[in-house]
Amino acid sequence: MPKEIASTVRTDALRQILLERRQEALKDVEDLLARRRMAQSEQREDFVPDTADLALQDADGDQQISLMEIRNHVREQIDEALRRLDEGRYGICDDCGREIGEGRLKAVPFARRCVECQGRAEALEQLDQEKDRTQI
Ligand SMILES: [Zn+2]
């Protein structure tokens, strides 16, 4: 198979994986919203909550929002990956410019770094956090 065709097949397969992941992330957000609406309508019918219940409800609400933010973040990362795919930059490590392994892209379709560079970046981040802690 000529190289250009092989690369197109690879791009199409990756796009498919990314679109599927995006669909999953969107579905999770939908499910979450549906559950939330159901919980809210049940509460209205059943009882008038006292102060303690209201506090619990708020805490729970916050948690759901943050879960939704994570999902939205995943969606943004996937959108970004799709853009990179269109521009032919997808699957190239941000740090060293080498191709990111296919196994890693399957596990983390929106990865922007190869395994080695990601490991290094995370270690650096951890060092930074430890430095912050000792400064406090
Ligand atoms: Zn790299």
Side-chain angles (χ1 to χ4, degrees):
M1 194 154 39
K3 209 174 172 229
E4 314 85 77
I5 295 178
S7 132
T8 308
V9 169
R10 183 171 183 254
T11 302
D12 283 349
L14 288 169
R15 189 190 307 276
Q16 200 54 43
I17 293 169
L18 284 169
L19 288 173
E20 272 167 24
R21 284 291 179 104
R22 190 173 187 278
Q23 210 57 43
E24 277 169 27
L26 285 176
K27 200 178 155 290
D28 282 348
V29 173
E30 289 295 318
D31 285 353
L32 200 60
L33 286 174
R35 268 207 303 276
R36 213 171 173 189
R37 267 195 299 271
M38 222 187 296
Q40 271 166 359
S41 63
E42 271 171 24
Q43 272 164 13
R44 258 196 300 273
E45 282 161 23
D46 285 357
F47 66 102
V48 181
D50 64 21
T51 328
D53 279 333
L54 270 178
L56 262 178
Q57 223 178 298
D58 278 357
D60 200 26
D62 282 349
Q63 217 171 22
Q64 289 190 335
I65 286 170
S66 70
L67 184 63
M68 222 165 76
E69 276 169 0
I70 292 168
R71 298 294 182 200
N72 270 324
H73 185 60
V74 168
R75 206 189 61 188
E76 274 167 27
Q77 280 183 306
I78 292 174
D79 281 345
E80 161 75 11
L82 283 167
R83 259 200 306 278
R84 288 160 67 92
L85 198 63
D86 284 336
E87 290 165 7
R89 289 183 296 133
Y90 181 74
I92 305 295
C93 175
D94 263 3
D95 286 1
C96 68
R98 277 184 302 201
E99 249 182 54
I100 302 171
E102 209 158 323
R104 172 157 168 76
L105 285 178
K106 274 202 184 113
V108 192
F110 38 79
R112 301 186 60 157
R113 290 189 185 99
C114 68
V115 178
E116 294 100 89
C117 291
Q118 185 63 39
R120 207 175 304 138
E122 275 168 17
L124 277 173
E125 217 168 275
Q126 217 167 10
L127 274 178
D128 273 355
Q129 279 170 5
E130 276 165 24
K131 236 188 289 165
D132 282 354
R133 236 173 280 146
T134 49
Q135 271 165 8
I136 297 165

